Amino acid sequence: MRKRATEYGPLSIYDPIYLGIDENACPVDITLIYKNLLTAGEPGAGKSGALNNLVAHAALASDCRLWLMDGKRVELGLWRDRAEVFVGSSLDDAIDRLRELQAEMDSRYDQLDGWKLRKISRGDGNHPIMLVIDELAYYSATAGDKRTRETFSLLLRDVIARGRAAGIIVVAATQRPSADIIPTSLRDLFGYRLAFRCTTETSSDIVLGHGWHSRGFDASQIDPTTPGVGLLLAEGGIPRRMRCAYLSDVEISRIAGHPDSGSAA
Ligand SMILES: Nc1ncnc2c1ncn2[C@@H]1O[C@H](COP(=O)(O)OP(=O)(O)OP(=O)(O)O)[C@@H](O)[C@H]1O
Ligand SMILES: [Mg+2]
């Protein structure tokens, strides 16, 4: 994280979030409030590294509630104590939590309706909630049975589609950028898309959007020896090649406030 973030008092989730640097070594900051972010790429490409930057900002923000879902448990596990909700490998828990989030979203819309406002804003009583899902496909295509996976996918789609104005930010990562995991209708709900190295140009297009590879933005061309390098597409723009910042386990533990940071014993 940039020093600016921690030196000058608490962060806000309404502030830009530092994600890394671009090809000209310019900082890449993204503003996630009222937006969602999808990231995908092959194993080891840098997805969890990217997510940890976003989670670090949210954990340090004084106005953000952090909800984490991590089928592997260790990718986001260092933030467990800082999170309001942490779901591991249980699909049933994930579904229960999504129902809770959906109910929270609906009650915020009731409130906004009553206040004659269109969206929550900085300083009002409702703190944004950042839901981070590392390995989306684990919940939507691997765990449980067909019925429960569909329930998960429907709930998640609703939260992504309707949550933005209620201050619900969804950040999701998947190793499998295929049409069954990320159908176009779902992909298009993500204002930010970050494609790390993919195996084919088709999977690169599934993350970024149809046709980008033929315009020279192809994540399958990323060198496999450069994890953390990806193409970031922000709503309405063109993909920007960048390298994500990377927090070590020790740094994460320090930010998360663990006394015994980094000890494997
Ligand atoms: N931005 C980065 N800068 C430098 N090294 C990185 C960066 N991101 C990732 N790496 C290196 O690559 C390794 C794999 O990264 P990461 O765990 O983020 O991959 P992943 O895409 O989440 O993989 P998986 O799909 O297996 O979970 C890290 O352990 C780290 O060594
Ligand atoms: Mg990972």
Side-chain angles (χ1 to χ4, degrees), residues 116-137:
K116 302 284 176 264
L117 292 172
R118 284 177 296 176
K119 61 183 183 190
I120 71 152
S121 52
R122 200 193 282 258
D124 76 21
N126 286 317
H127 283 173
I129 299 173
M130 186 192 278
L131 168 65
V132 182
I133 306 173
D134 200 343
E135 203 37 64
L136 176 63

Side-chain angles (χ1 to χ4, degrees), residues 41-50 72 75 135 175 227-228 243-246:
E42 64 182 31
K47 302 176 296 292
S48 301
K72 271 196 224 166
E75 303 272 27
E135 203 37 64
Q175 280 177 349
R243 177 163 212 152
C244 286
Y246 188 75

Side-chain angles (χ1 to χ4, degrees), residues 44-123:
K47 302 176 296 292
S48 301
L51 294 191
N52 274 298
N53 290 314
L54 306 177
V55 174
H57 183 105
L60 291 171
S62 56
D63 55 4
C64 185
R65 294 163 59 185
L66 193 53
W67 285 38
L68 305 176
M69 295 187 181
D70 175 6
K72 271 196 224 166
R73 283 179 295 164
V74 293
E75 303 272 27
L76 301 174
L78 291 169
W79 301 107
R80 185 188 284 251
D81 296 343
R82 294 298 290 259
E84 183 177 303
V85 167
F86 187 93
V87 174
S89 54
S90 165
L91 179 57
D92 290 337
D93 283 356
I95 290 172
D96 286 349
R97 291 306 194 162
L98 283 181
R99 287 213 171 93
E100 236 178 85
L101 198 54
Q102 190 184 43
E104 170 78 18
M105 172 176 76
D106 284 324
S107 103
R108 287 183 177 199
Y109 280 125
D110 287 344
Q111 239 177 7
L112 286 169
D113 196 28
W115 293 338
K116 302 284 176 264
L117 292 172
R118 284 177 296 176
K119 61 183 183 190
I120 71 152
S121 52
R122 200 193 282 258

